[in-house]
Amino acid sequence: MSTIQDVAKRASVGAATVSRVLNGNGYVKEETREKVMRAIEELDYTPNEMARNLFFKRTGIVAIIIPQISHPFFAEFVDEAMLELAKYNYKVMVCNTWDESHYELQYLEMLQRSMVDGIIFGAHSLDIREYQNAKRPIVALDRELGAGIPCVSADHQEGGRLAAEVLMEAGCKKVLQFCGKKGVSTPSFQRHACFERIFQEHGLECHNFTLSRNSFSYGYFHRIVEGVFEQYPDIDGIFGTDIIVMNAIRRAAELGIRVPEDLKAVAYDGTGVTGLMHPDLTTVVQPIGELARECVHLMMELTQGNAIAQTSIKLPVILRKGMTT
Amino acid sequence: MSTIQDVAKRASVGAATVSRVLNGNGYVKEETREKVMRAIEELDYTPNEMARNLFFKRTGIVAIIIPQISHPFFAEFVDEAMLELAKYNYKVMVCNTWDESHYELQYLEMLQRSMVDGIIFGAHSLDIREYQNAKRPIVALDRELGAGIPCVSADHQEGGRLAAEVLMEAGCKKVLQFCGKKGVSTPSFQRHACFERIFQEHGLECHNFTLSRNSFSYGYFHRIVEGVFEQYPDIDGIFGTDIIVMNAIRRAAELGIRVPEDLKAVAYDGTGVTGLMHPDLTTVVQPIGELARECVHLMMELTQGNAIAQTSIKLPVILRKGMTT
């Protein structure tokens, strides 16, 4: 079987030129390109991606590590990141951690062992030192992985403010917000703090319902709202991520609690599932496409050995007003 | 930098033994394992996955090709397949085709070029010959890729029958079913044919609303139901995949059409999003976890060079009765 070197020799060019022709990137003179293509044909050469990647110390794969791909926020993020990475000829490995650190450690080792060129981390269950020691291209989505590792997130503080204000304007006096499990270091918690502070500053009540698990399955979100209106019978507003709020509205309907008359609701994320609701759900929308593109651009800089000047990137959120407030 | 051969030499074993120790699979005597581990430590060896994979002609990666990962059916399928593949120490590359055949061709070439060990195809836009010529491990989910390529699907015919019967029992006389775009060769179309035939056999009306695009985005499904009740003002039952039916119910609510009084509805797939509905949605549930596990098992057989005796595998569906019929 012919190798890339055989092709290069026959075409009287370097192996890097053959690779550029095969990948269709980088400048190659038309005359040279034809010579290479002829050599490929004459030698009946099928490029072995592994051998080529080993030669160029590049796998052409970026891994995206997330808690669970079936959660719509992560699924939409991967959709958008994949589209952007395709422009740079990169493929995507998707790795669920199911909130188990042994999986995450395995994925990090994969980076160390050159199975992928870089990792976008949308999960975080290991000690900061593990990520720091990696010394390879890492970009974090919504996770703080320590100094030097870029972190891309939405402006969650502004998101918390928008949600609090729209509920207050709708007349809410006693609200409940669903908060992620403690112990994960993520800027997304800033929305909880900001939301609570604004209600307290106005002398209003804000209760926090903290999730006991770091799970992202539909089934878990379905269960957690089960007893919430019995536990907080007199709340008049709720705030949480799309699926939690949609489940809470479903539960409210089962109990005869009317939205928006008896209960106002604001969702956070703005994934496609919110479009299934009637009446339209008031939602703080994260810029999922831009988050993905920013992560990819930073990753491309790192894989090329470039330094990242600003390691904390915050992108704006918007409020989409619906009929639930 | 040390290589796997250096480690093998120092430990006086073969490279395959070092690999077994590193991967933690296959039998290795405890004494040998310790010798290998000592050699790894003494040489400060970091395994290069690429070099090792090239040596063993294995990438440890299975690609899953689907139209779009943000569609809940495919997202849940990938979740389940990933969990199963992890047991065999395989990672998952996820590839959206966005219904564009040039992407699918690129992914197929990736298999030819040994970038992945096998492909599970849940998309199909190329000529059958392309898959046939690959002569590498391919398993199809719900797609007919020609002789010899195993196809795993739910029993769609039974699914169509269950949906038709539950709507007829609820008194429907004139129903509408949403059908996938024509031109894709998939056993899932059997449900449309069966559903229509049953209504016709009973002298009842069945209209087919055929999608013009092979798109799987929330936005597309939101738009297609927009004018459906104006176009079919007197239908009393609808049948389609989860997101289409949920969108149709949302649209019906906007128009003051009551479910189930004026309109009955049955969804197909049974993904997590159906749990967000109030009242509970009557649904034909595909066994997504079992479909994924069956695809993975067949893939493992093929990567080990084993033949597949039965290439058409049908798994049972069930009816989950809700309040919409």
Side-chain angles (χ1 to χ4, degrees):
Chain A
M1 208 174 95
S2 315
T3 66
I4 193 167
Q5 281 82 4
D6 297 332
V7 174
K9 200 171 158 197
R10 188 166 194 117
S12 313
V13 298
T17 306
V18 178
S19 167
R20 278 204 299 278
V21 171
L22 288 169
N23 285 319
N25 57 22
Y27 175 72
V28 181
K29 259 202 298 193
E30 189 48 35
E31 188 192 325
T32 310
R33 208 187 67 83
E34 278 170 19
K35 240 180 0 183
V36 170
M37 291 311 288
R38 207 161 38 236
I40 286 172
E41 226 181 286
E42 285 163 6
L43 292 170
D44 195 19
Y45 167 68
T46 306
N48 180 314
E49 198 85 10
M50 282 202 289
R52 200 175 71 198
N53 286 338
L54 185 62
F55 188 81
F56 292 104
K57 293 194 172 39
R58 174 190 190 274
T59 65
I61 303 172
V62 167
I64 303 181
I65 317 278
I66 48 176
Q68 196 162 351
I69 187 69
S70 60
H71 187 279
F73 176 82
F74 296 115
E76 292 183 18
F77 176 83
V78 169
D79 250 2
E80 300 276 1
M82 199 185 296
L83 196 57
E84 193 65 19
L85 281 163
K87 295 181 190 165
Y88 300 93
N89 211 15
Y90 271 90
K91 302 288 185 293
V92 175
M93 184 181 285
V94 175
C95 307
N96 284 356
T97 64
W98 294 286
D99 197 34
E100 299 207 24
S101 52
H102 72 95
Y103 280 113
E104 208 187 322
L105 196 58
Q106 212 183 79
Y107 299 140
L108 194 56
E109 279 168 6
M110 195 168 74
L111 180 62
Q112 302 284 64
R113 287 151 69 177
S114 307
M115 198 168 163
V116 296
D117 294 338
I119 293 186
I120 297 172
F121 269 100
H124 165 199
S125 60
L126 304 176
D127 191 284
I128 294 282
R129 276 170 303 183
E130 302 275 5
Y131 308 97
Q132 297 283 322
N133 290 341
K135 297 194 198 314
R136 299 283 315 268
I138 293 180
V139 173
L141 165 70
D142 247 345
R143 296 290 183 272
E144 281 143 1
L145 303 183
I149 295 181
C151 172
V152 178
S153 69
D155 186 347
H156 295 295
Q157 192 166 333
E158 173 70 1
R161 192 184 65 77
L162 288 169
E165 287 181 355
V166 75
L167 286 172
M168 279 199 305
E169 279 164 26
C172 291
K173 307 257 178 275
K174 186 170 181 179
V175 296
L176 178 73
Q177 70 168 328
F178 293 89
C179 306
K181 187 192 169 195
K182 292 211 171 82
V184 181
S185 185
T186 159
S188 71
F189 283 175
Q190 292 168 5
R191 73 169 181 272
H192 302 319
C194 180
F195 182 88
E196 186 177 19
R197 195 184 55 243
I198 291 177
F199 271 90
Q200 288 172 343
E201 282 171 3
H202 287 77
L204 303 170
E205 265 186 71
C206 174
H207 295 273
N208 294 327
F209 185 107
T210 301
L211 306 194
S212 59
R213 284 174 53 199
N214 192 26
S215 167
F216 288 83
S217 77
Y218 278 93
Y220 177 62
F221 295 135
H222 197 95
R223 282 192 302 280
I224 56 162
V225 302
E226 212 47 40
V228 75
F229 296 108
E230 284 83 352
Q231 196 181 343
Y232 300 94
D234 51 358
I235 50 166
D236 55 13
I238 52 168
F239 175 47
T241 53
D242 295 347
I243 301 183
I244 297 182
V245 165
M246 287 174 76
N247 264 306
I249 291 174
R250 175 193 55 75
R251 182 64 185 143
E254 285 174 2
L255 298 169
I257 300 168
R258 295 166 306 163
V259 175
E261 295 83 350
D262 310 325
L263 182 75
K264 320 274 188 263
V266 178
Y268 197 82
D269 279 353
T271 59
V273 292
T274 55
L276 299 171
M277 273 278 298
H278 175 82
D280 284 349
L281 188 55
T282 297
T283 310
V284 176
V285 182
Q286 292 205 55
I288 303 181
E290 283 139 64
L291 290 168
R293 286 185 286 277
E294 186 64 33
C295 286
V296 169
H297 293 162
L298 291 170
M299 177 54 67
M300 293 300 100
E301 292 294 326
L302 291 174
T303 55
Q304 284 159 44
N306 300 333
I308 306 290
Q310 197 198 345
T311 57
S312 175
I313 294 98
K314 269 195 182 38
L315 301 176
V317 295
I318 57 159
L319 180 75
R320 193 167 58 202
K321 198 124 193 295
M323 307 293 288
T324 59
T325 46
Chain B
M1 209 174 96
S2 314
T3 67
I4 193 167
Q5 280 82 3
D6 297 332
V7 173
K9 199 172 159 196
R10 187 164 195 118
S12 314
V13 297
T17 305
V18 178
S19 167
R20 278 205 297 280
V21 171
L22 288 169
N23 284 319
N25 58 23
Y27 175 72
V28 181
K29 261 202 297 192
E30 189 49 34
E31 190 191 324
T32 310
R33 209 187 65 83
E34 278 170 18
K35 243 186 349 190
V36 170
M37 291 310 288
R38 206 160 40 235
I40 286 172
E41 225 180 285
E42 286 163 6
L43 293 169
D44 195 18
Y45 168 68
T46 306
N48 180 313
E49 197 85 10
M50 282 203 289
R52 200 175 71 198
N53 286 338
L54 186 62
F55 189 81
F56 291 103
K57 294 193 173 37
R58 174 190 190 273
T59 65
I61 303 173
V62 167
I64 303 182
I65 317 278
I66 50 176
Q68 196 162 351
I69 187 69
S70 60
H71 186 278
F73 176 82
F74 296 116
E76 291 183 18
F77 176 84
V78 169
D79 250 3
E80 299 277 0
M82 200 185 295
L83 197 57
E84 194 64 19
L85 281 163
K87 295 181 190 165
Y88 299 93
N89 210 15
Y90 271 90
K91 302 288 186 292
V92 175
M93 184 181 284
V94 175
C95 308
N96 285 356
T97 65
W98 293 285
D99 196 34
E100 300 206 25
S101 52
H102 72 95
Y103 280 114
E104 208 186 321
L105 195 60
Q106 208 183 83
Y107 299 140
L108 194 57
E109 279 168 5
M110 195 169 74
L111 180 63
Q112 301 284 66
R113 287 151 70 176
S114 307
M115 198 168 162
V116 298
D117 293 339
I119 293 187
I120 297 173
F121 269 99
H124 165 199
S125 59
L126 303 176
D127 191 283
I128 294 282
R129 277 171 301 185
E130 302 274 6
Y131 309 98
Q132 296 283 321
N133 290 341
K135 297 193 196 317
R136 299 284 315 267
I138 293 181
V139 173
L141 164 71
D142 247 346
R143 296 291 182 273
E144 282 142 359
L145 304 183
I149 295 182
C151 172
V152 179
S153 69
D155 186 346
H156 296 293
Q157 194 166 332
E158 173 70 1
R161 192 184 65 78
L162 289 169
E165 287 180 355
V166 75
L167 286 172
M168 278 199 306
E169 279 164 26
C172 291
K173 306 260 178 273
K174 187 170 181 178
V175 296
L176 178 73
Q177 68 169 330
F178 293 89
C179 307
K181 187 192 168 195
K182 291 209 171 84
V184 181
S185 186
T186 159
S188 72
F189 283 175
Q190 293 168 4
R191 74 170 180 272
H192 303 317
C194 181
F195 182 87
E196 186 177 19
R197 196 183 54 243
I198 291 178
F199 271 90
Q200 287 172 343
E201 282 170 3
H202 286 77
L204 303 171
E205 265 185 71
C206 175
H207 296 273
N208 294 326
F209 185 107
T210 302
L211 306 194
S212 59
R213 285 174 52 199
N214 193 25
S215 167
F216 287 83
S217 76
Y218 278 93
Y220 178 61
F221 295 137
H222 197 95
R223 281 192 302 278
I224 56 161
V225 302
E226 212 48 40
V228 75
F229 295 108
E230 283 83 353
Q231 195 180 346
Y232 301 95
D234 51 355
I235 50 167
D236 55 12
I238 52 167
F239 175 47
T241 52
D242 295 348
I243 300 183
I244 297 182
V245 166
M246 288 173 77
N247 265 306
I249 291 174
R250 174 193 55 74
R251 181 66 187 142
E254 285 174 0
L255 298 169
I257 301 168
R258 295 165 307 161
V259 175
E261 295 83 349
D262 312 324
L263 182 75
K264 320 275 187 264
V266 177
Y268 197 83
D269 280 352
T271 59
V273 291
T274 56
L276 299 172
M277 272 279 299
H278 176 81
D280 283 348
L281 189 55
T282 297
T283 311
V284 176
V285 182
Q286 292 205 56
I288 302 180
E290 282 138 64
L291 289 169
R293 286 185 287 278
E294 187 63 34
C295 286
V296 169
H297 293 161
L298 291 170
M299 178 54 68
M300 294 299 102
E301 292 295 326
L302 291 175
T303 55
Q304 284 158 43
N306 300 333
I308 306 291
Q310 198 198 343
T311 55
S312 174
I313 294 100
K314 270 196 181 35
L315 302 176
V317 295
I318 58 160
L319 180 75
R320 193 167 60 202
K321 199 124 190 301
M323 306 295 286
T324 58
T325 46

